[in-house]
């Protein structure tokens, strides 16, 4: 999908920002030590609350939603100030996760400011304990390495944590996109077959990356990079909010290890590739001749729900996308109109009217700014959320398919066992003692397999149930949080609109 | 009745009041009921109505333009032809696409389009009415015989629309006029007032044209965005009805919110259209009419100067002097008559323009504020509910 990006604010400002960020973050460890966790670990109501939903209040409206990188400079020092994700376990057996994200939209003009995932959760074994551990992850500072078609973007992945399994409390590494894909591949290889819903990384984009490689310093490539950075960050948040995945050494390695071996096989694999695989697998499953005899309808019903939802989300995403584009059009048209109004004001020979028309032109200019920001919010808060979930629901479907595959394996083993027993019976009849022993051995082997596969199936059923519930909770939260944030951005827009027109009204009345 | 969006300061005195009291849209034409109230003796009754179609308005306008007596006045611009093509096309497309959307979506979109159709209809009525009111308010034009016939004669005026030949003639006339116009414009005027007006109007007209086109485009984008919000609301509604978990209830509330905000957004676009785009369009036409007046005066000036030259020549040759003198006098009178009334007309034009802009800009600002506050309140209350629930 080609998107026409809005006119980009001063690129100089952006560079100033990133340079500043570079200076101030400098050596990560120093930074974090200085902070002493004053802004992250203390004084935040988000941590102690468990089971309450901290009001997602935007503190100072101007701070976060004013135009052009008006992020307060203090924030530069603290990469993790913005979004908080509270991850707390319910006391119930289904360990749900609730997320509260307070990140501001990563609007293009706020270049490499990121939202973070802040999590506090209890160790799984000690549900009653009050130990809280924290884990904040940020993906920032995209940098281009190399030149021409061999160039690639490198992102800084910074972690702050109190989890003992990590070697230190704060560290950062540099990762490239294929590293993320490599992580995904490893995780899905290990966990998908057990019925876990493995989060999907963002899509590969040949067009987007080529522009970046070729060094096109225009708004579309900058927007692309920002889109990708934000998506990678959300991806990591999702990975680490899944307890089982967090325990996986590959995840730890990804976050901690200085150099990762280059993930070569991801050259073709990606979120989209994975989805294709899922769809192929689904088709294969559908073609299975032996249909599962479901003891309860839960799985069938859920799968149907998932498929319906995926369809609706796709539709919604398409419409929100259209909205983004129309708002960008509106933005462009408003700018052009503003200029035209200014010209008209210039030729008007009645002084008061001339002034009023110029003022109108200025109001329209401000509206253009407003539209641009709103389009950005439409995109980063709403559209990307929907896109993420369309992909994730594909992943959910996959885990259902895995369950069926596991069942199939169990059934196949049972029929193999049956055949082996028949062979044994025949051999008994034919009285071939040497082959008989072999047959008996094989029977024992397959009996074990059948037991194993049956247990696997039961286990995957339980996992899938748990996972689906966990996912649904996460999704429910995610949607609520993001939609509320989106509505708040709309609210701020209206407030600014009111301000502009209230300023204009007296000018109009002054015409005589 | 119909709020006059564009024109103000019309001397509506009791002696002649005209309005369009009703209108009917048939297949491809609109029938306007023109209602007159007058104490003037020239009319048979004090109050009466006739039915007129667009072509008859055009006939009336053209009769003014072609009347030499009115050369010194700004002829009120003719109303644009009622154009429901776009709207009709959309309704048709909707009908074709009926199968691909849910019943609710279809009903909603149909209501949308019907509202749009109604808005266009109201606009065309307003524009026809404004034309008549301008004529009725003009001290000289209101006495025009054709105008009285238009108002009173309750039969069809049988002014068929121009046929191809006539349209072609018009086209050539316009070409000649614009070529001529350039010639005439080149002549520097001795009178500072008119020289200034000429320069001013030329530039103003072009810029209004530009602003009008750009405002149209901007408002169209606005409408598209409002339409998108409509579809978002529908899809959220579908998502919300899939089951009754609390996230679904959430979706339903948000869907409801978007339904309401979309209506407001659509009204914002409609108001911008009415107060801004229509204003600019009207003054595009009026400034053209003013330019035409200047052109006519310029033409008369050229004729006058030519007559002077001819007179000098005749005197020098001592041949046909009397004839030349008569011609010169006629041209002189014509020119002076036009100049005199033109000056007043142009001053009035300025007054009207300033007043109309003032009225519309104030109303625009007030409406924008009203709608933004409405939106704000909706958002605030919805957010209050949503945050309170969770």
């Amino acid at each position: 999908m080609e998107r026409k990006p809005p006119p980009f604010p001063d690129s100089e400002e952006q560079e100033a920002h990133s340079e500043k960020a570079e200076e101030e973050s400098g050596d990560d460890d120093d930074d974090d030590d200085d902070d002493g966790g004053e802004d992250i670990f203390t004084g935040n109501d988000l941590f102690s609350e468990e089971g309450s939903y901290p009001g997602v209040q935007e503190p100072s409206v101007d701070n976060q939603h004013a135009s052009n990188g008006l992020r307060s400079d203090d924030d530069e020092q603290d990469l993790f100030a913005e979004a908080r994700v509270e991850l707390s376990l319910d006391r119930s057996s289904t360990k749900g996760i609730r997320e509260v994200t307070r990140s501001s939209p990563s609007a293009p003009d706020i270049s490499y400011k990121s939202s973070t995932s802040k999590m506090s959760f209890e160790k799984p074994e000690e549900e009653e304990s009050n130990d809280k551990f924290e884990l904040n992850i940020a993906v920032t500072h995209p940098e281009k390495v190399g030149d021409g078609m061999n160039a690639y973007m490198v992102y800084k992945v910074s972690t702050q944590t109190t989890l003992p399994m990590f070697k230190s409390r704060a560290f950062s590494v540099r990762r490239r996109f294929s590293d993320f894909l490599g992580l995904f591949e490893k995780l899905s290889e290990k966990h998908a077959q057990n019925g876990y819903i493995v989060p999907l990384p963002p899509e590969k984009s040949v067009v987007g990356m080529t522009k970046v490689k070729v060094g096109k310093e225009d708004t579309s490539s900058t927007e692309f990079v920002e889109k990708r950075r934000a998506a990678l960050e959300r991806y990591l948040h999702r990975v680490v909010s899944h307890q089982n995945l967090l325990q996986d050494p590959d995840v730890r390695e990804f976050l901690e290890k200085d150099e990762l071996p280059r993930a070569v096989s991801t050259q073709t694999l990606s979120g989209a590739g994975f989805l294709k695989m899922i769809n192929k697998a689904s088709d294969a499953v559908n073609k299975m001749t032996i249909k599962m005899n479901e003891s309860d309808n839960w799985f069938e019903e859920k799968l149907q729900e998932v498929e319906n939802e995926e369809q609706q989300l796709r539709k919604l995403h398409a419409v929100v996308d259209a909205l983004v584009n129309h708002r960008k059009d509106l933005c462009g048209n408003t700018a052009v109109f503003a200029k035209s109004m200014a010209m008209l004001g210039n030729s008007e020979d009645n002084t008061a009217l001339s002034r009023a028309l110029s003022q109108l032109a200025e109001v329209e200019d401000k509206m253009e700014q407003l539209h641009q920001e709103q389009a950005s919010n439409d995109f980063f808060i709403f559209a990307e959320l929907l896109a993420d979930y369309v992909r994730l629901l594909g992943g959910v479907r996959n885990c259902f398919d895995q369950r069926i595959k596991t069942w199939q394996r169990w059934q196949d083993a049972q029929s193999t066992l049956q055949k082996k027993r028949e062979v044994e019976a025949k051999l008994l009849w034919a009285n071939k003692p040497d082959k008989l022993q072999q047959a008996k051995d094989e029977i024992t082997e397959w009996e074990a397999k059948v037991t194993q596969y049956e247990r696997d199936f039961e286990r995957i059923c339980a996992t899938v149930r748990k996972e689906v519930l966990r996912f649904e909770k996460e999704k429910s939260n995610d949607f609520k949080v993001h939609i509320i944030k989106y509505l708040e951005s709309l609210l701020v827009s209206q407030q600014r609109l009111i301000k502009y027109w209230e300023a204009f009204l007296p000018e109009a009345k002054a015409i005589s | 009745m119909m709020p006059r969006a564009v024109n103000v300061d019309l001397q509506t005195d009791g002696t002649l009041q005209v309005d369009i009291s009703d209108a009917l849209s048939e297949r491809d034409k609109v029938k306007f009921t023109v209602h007159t109230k007058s104490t003037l003796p020239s009319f048979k009754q004090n109050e009466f109505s006739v039915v007129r179609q667009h072509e008859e308005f055009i006939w009336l306008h053209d009769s003014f333009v072609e009347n030499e007596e009115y050369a010194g006045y700004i002829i009120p611009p003719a109303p644009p032809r009622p154009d429901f093509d776009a709207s009709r096309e959309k309704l048709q497309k909707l009908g074709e696409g009926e199968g691909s959307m849910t019943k609710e979506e279809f009903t909603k979109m149909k209501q949308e389009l019907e509202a749009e159709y109604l808005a266009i209809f109201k606009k065309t009525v307003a524009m026809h009415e404004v034309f008549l009111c301008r004529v009725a308010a003009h001290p000289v034009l209101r006495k025009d015989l054709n105008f009285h016939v238009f108002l009173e004669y309750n039969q069809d005026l049988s002014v068929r629309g121009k046929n191809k030949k006539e349209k072609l003639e018009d086209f050539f006339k316009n070409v000649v006029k614009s070529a001529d116009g350039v010639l005439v414009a080149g002549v520097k005027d001795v009178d500072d007032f008119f020289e200034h007006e000429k320069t001013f109007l030329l530039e103003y007209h072009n810029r209004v044209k530009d602003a009008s086109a750009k405002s149209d485009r901007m408002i169209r984008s606005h409408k598209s965005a409002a339409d998108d919000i409509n579809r978002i609301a529908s899809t959220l509604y579908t998502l919300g009805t899939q089951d009754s978990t609390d996230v679904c209830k959430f979706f339903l509330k948000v869907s409801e919110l978007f339904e309401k905000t979309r209506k407001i957004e659509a009204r914002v676009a409609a108001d911008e259209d009415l107060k801004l785009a229509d204003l600019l369009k009207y003054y595009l036409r009026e400034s053209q009419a003013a330019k035409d007046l200047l052109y006519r005066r310029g033409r008369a000036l050229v004729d006058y100067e030519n007559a002077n030259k001819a007179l000098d020549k005749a005197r020098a040759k001592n041949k046909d002097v009397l004839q030349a003198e008569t011609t010169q006098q006629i041209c002189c009178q014509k020119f002076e008559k036009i100049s005199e009334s033109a000056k007043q007309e142009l001053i009035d034009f300025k007054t009207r323009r300033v007043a109309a802009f003032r009225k519309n800009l104030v109303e625009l600002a007030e409406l924008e504020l009203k709608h933004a506050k409405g939106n704000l309140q909706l958002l605030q209350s919805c957010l209050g509910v949503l945050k309170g629930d969770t």
Side-chain angles (χ1 to χ4, degrees), chain A residues 196-265:
Chain A
Y196 288 103
I197 302 173
V198 180
L200 277 83
E203 305 284 315
K204 263 186 170 239
S205 166
V206 176
V207 174
M209 266 323 280
T210 311
K211 277 202 200 151
V212 173
K213 287 180 190 189
V214 162
K216 237 179 151 218
E217 290 285 324
D218 67 354
T219 56
S220 67
S221 47
T222 335
E223 203 182 60
F224 171 79
V225 171
E226 172 56 24
K227 177 181 166 190
R228 175 162 282 190
R229 183 206 64 77
L232 289 174
E233 199 173 74
R234 289 196 304 274
Y235 168 65
L236 285 183
H237 289 178
R238 291 203 175 96
V239 168
V240 298
S241 49
H242 195 309
Q243 291 124 282
N244 299 80
L245 294 181
L246 180 56
Q247 304 297 322
D248 188 314
D250 279 324
V251 171
R252 222 176 309 145
E253 196 177 78
F254 180 89
L255 292 174
E256 260 187 339
K257 198 164 174 192
D258 280 325
E259 292 283 329
L260 278 187
R262 172 94 190 272
V264 184
S265 56

Side-chain angles (χ1 to χ4, degrees), chain A residues 77-129:
Chain A
Q77 282 153 331
D78 174 25
L79 290 173
F80 302 97
E82 299 190 311
R84 289 136 224 256
V85 170
E86 172 171 305
L87 202 61
S88 64
L89 297 179
D90 288 350
R91 309 264 174 189
S92 64
S93 54
T94 61
K95 291 184 183 142
I97 294 169
R98 209 187 56 235
E99 261 180 78
V100 171
T101 318
R102 209 183 68 145
S103 54
S104 312
S106 315
D109 55 325
I110 318 276
S111 53
Y112 314 126
K113 221 57 206 52
S114 68
S115 60
T116 66
S117 158
K118 210 190 284 188
M119 297 179 283
S120 65
F121 56 94
E122 302 170 338
K123 289 200 288 219
E125 308 88 305
E126 304 160 22
E127 258 182 292
E128 294 307 311
S129 107

Side-chain angles (χ1 to χ4, degrees), chain B residues 1-7 122 126 129-130 274-275 359 363:
Chain B
M1 285 237 61
M2 299 293 169
R4 283 177 217 142
V6 176
N7 244 313
K122 280 195 184 152
E129 191 180 72
V130 157
L274 213 59
K275 301 293 169 188
K359 176 170 180 280
E363 286 176 359

Side-chain angles (χ1 to χ4, degrees), chain A residues 403-428:
Chain A
R403 174 178 166 268
I404 293 188
K405 273 211 209 124
T406 312
W407 177 83
Q408 186 65 47
R409 193 173 56 168
W410 174 34
Q411 298 303 307
D412 290 347
Q414 277 185 321
S415 62
T416 312
L417 178 62
Q418 183 62 26
K419 288 200 193 90
K420 299 286 178 195
R421 289 210 171 113
E422 285 167 10
V423 166
E424 187 202 31
K426 279 207 197 102
L427 287 177
L428 268 171

Side-chain angles (χ1 to χ4, degrees), chain A residues 393-459:
Chain A
L393 285 174
V396 175
R397 269 192 293 125
N398 181 55
C399 86
F400 276 86
D401 288 341
Q402 293 293 341
R403 174 178 166 268
I404 293 188
K405 273 211 209 124
T406 312
W407 177 83
Q408 186 65 47
R409 193 173 56 168
W410 174 34
Q411 298 303 307
D412 290 347
Q414 277 185 321
S415 62
T416 312
L417 178 62
Q418 183 62 26
K419 288 200 193 90
K420 299 286 178 195
R421 289 210 171 113
E422 285 167 10
V423 166
E424 187 202 31
K426 279 207 197 102
L427 287 177
L428 268 171
W429 187 247
N431 199 17
K432 293 206 178 116
D434 47 336
K435 286 217 178 115
L436 196 61
Q437 186 53 46
Q438 185 190 349
K440 282 203 197 288
D441 288 341
E442 284 180 0
I443 288 176
T444 322
E445 183 195 334
W446 279 95
E447 274 172 350
K449 279 197 183 157
V450 165
T451 322
Q452 176 64 45
Y453 292 163
E454 183 177 4
R455 240 182 270 143
D456 283 347
F457 176 68
E458 279 164 11
R459 204 185 49 222

Side-chain angles (χ1 to χ4, degrees), chain B residues 187-217:
Chain B
V187 172
K188 177 127 172 53
D189 209 312
V190 276
D191 189 330
D192 277 343
F193 174 81
F194 284 104
E195 188 56 30
H196 166 82
E197 284 299 308
K198 199 164 44 171
T199 328
F200 164 72
L201 270 175
L202 221 60
E203 191 185 64
Y204 187 80
H205 176 79
N206 287 335
R207 291 190 179 176
V208 159
K209 197 190 232 169
D210 191 52
S212 173
K214 307 263 163 80
S215 80
D216 277 345
R217 237 178 287 160

